[in-house]
Amino acid sequence: MTTMITLDSMTRAAELLARASRVMVFTGAGVSAESGVPTFRGAGGLWEGHPVEQVATPEAFAADPLMVWRFYDQRRVNLAPRRPNPAHQVLARWQERFASFVLATQNVDSLHEDAGSRGVLHLHGSIWRVRCCRCQEEREDRTAPFPALPPRCSCGGLLRPAVVWFGEPLPMDVLETAMVASERCEVLLVVGTSAVVYPAAGLVEVAASAGASVIEVNPQASALAWLASVALRGPAGEMLPRLEEALAERTS
Ligand code: BJW
Ligand code: ZN
């Protein structure tokens, strides 16, 4: 016990991972911050003076599809040249390292996939997919910017971003797979999320109450930091490569 207390957080986190075979990672906007993608909350997290809670809703889209599309079109333009950072890269390498490794993200960018991660559980959809409000057809579309807003489907219906807005259900199969993984994992790494948006944040509560060790990687304490056994307080792009090194030292 005394040793555990004197060990630094990085060593303790590496020790937890070294002993684990079932690892889950839950990411949020902060994991992409060092790629130049703005987070939602805090400084700069506004669109035309509105908090995200007022723009990312079906009601806002119904009232003013052009305003909502300007928000998404601008984000797509900003995202297109962004590249994965060292945090995404470490997580992509870890899918080979553990017997079971599940990566669930709230992010709608594709930076985990761009780094090489496969089978990522996208809890809040993808900004690179659109869905028709009339015929419901959904497809990938990487046009950025769209030549005219709001974009329309070949059937004439209004297209919308295939993301999950407030008040909308998460894709049931994705959420269920993530919930099962959170119940079964031995270690849950929570990276770059404020953990205020549900049901996604519930994954942390489920994992912790099922006995998993929670490691939080975030320069600031999240709303669920109290559930973490270890906190790595720094940017993910620095903390995860250091954790990977500490893990290599323990297992070599
Ligand atoms: C770094 C860093 C660095 C910085 N390194 N870290 C219970 C109570 C009250 C309300 C609810 C409840 N349960 C559900 C609700 C309602 C609502 C909700 O949760 N509201 C709360 C805000 C109060 N939830 C919903 O409406 C959900 N749907 C639902 O519940 O449906 C029920 C239903 C069932 C059946 C039928 C119908 C309905 C849907 C939620 C959808 C969220 N959508 C968004 C937008 C997605 C599209 C888009 O991108 O535009 O998802 S909102 C936005 O928040 C986005 C994010 O994925 C999500 C989470 O944000 P995230 O990732 O945590 O980002 P930030 O900015 O908050 O935090 C960044 C963090 O990074 C910070 O901690 C920084 O410190 C850190 N950081 N730099 C590491 N370098
Ligand atoms: Zn259509």
Side-chain angles (χ1 to χ4, degrees), residues 9 65 75 94-95 98 137 143 151 153 164 177 181 226 233 240:
S9 305
R75 281 175 59 199
W94 283 0
Q95 69 194 342
F98 299 95
E137 192 192 275
T143 313
C153 177
V164 181
T177 307
W226 61 280
R233 294 271 165 251
L240 288 184

Side-chain angles (χ1 to χ4, degrees), residues 130-228:
V130 291
R131 186 166 72 242
C132 176
C133 299
R134 186 187 287 169
C135 73
Q136 302 301 322
E137 192 192 275
E138 189 182 308
R139 60 179 166 81
E140 187 181 82
D141 189 332
R142 292 210 171 228
T143 313
F146 279 108
L149 291 179
R152 292 201 168 263
C153 177
S154 52
C155 82
L158 198 59
L159 288 173
R160 60 161 282 179
V163 298
V164 181
W165 284 328
F166 284 109
E168 293 185 323
L170 276 62
M172 214 173 33
D173 49 338
V174 175
L175 180 62
E176 201 164 304
T177 307
M179 282 292 172
V180 168
S182 69
E183 267 168 15
R184 291 189 183 156
C185 68
E186 295 156 296
V187 173
L188 174 69
L189 210 62
V190 181
V191 186
T193 176
S194 56
V196 295
V197 174
Y198 283 80
L203 293 171
V204 185
E205 295 165 327
V206 169
S209 52
S213 302
V214 175
I215 303 171
E216 176 165 282
V217 183
N218 195 318
Q220 313 274 327
S222 79
L224 297 179
W226 61 280
L227 288 173

Side-chain angles (χ1 to χ4, degrees), residues 17 22 27 31 41 90 107 109 124 133 165 202-203 222 229:
L17 283 169
R22 294 185 308 280
T27 66
V31 79
R41 294 166 186 86
V90 167
N107 298 347
D109 62 44
H124 293 161
C133 299
W165 284 328
L203 293 171
S222 79
S229 346

Side-chain angles (χ1 to χ4, degrees), residues 84-105:
N85 68 56
H88 299 106
Q89 285 156 358
V90 167
L91 296 176
R93 286 194 287 274
W94 283 0
Q95 69 194 342
E96 312 297 339
R97 180 166 199 131
F98 299 95
S100 159
F101 184 82
V102 175
L103 174 53
T105 188

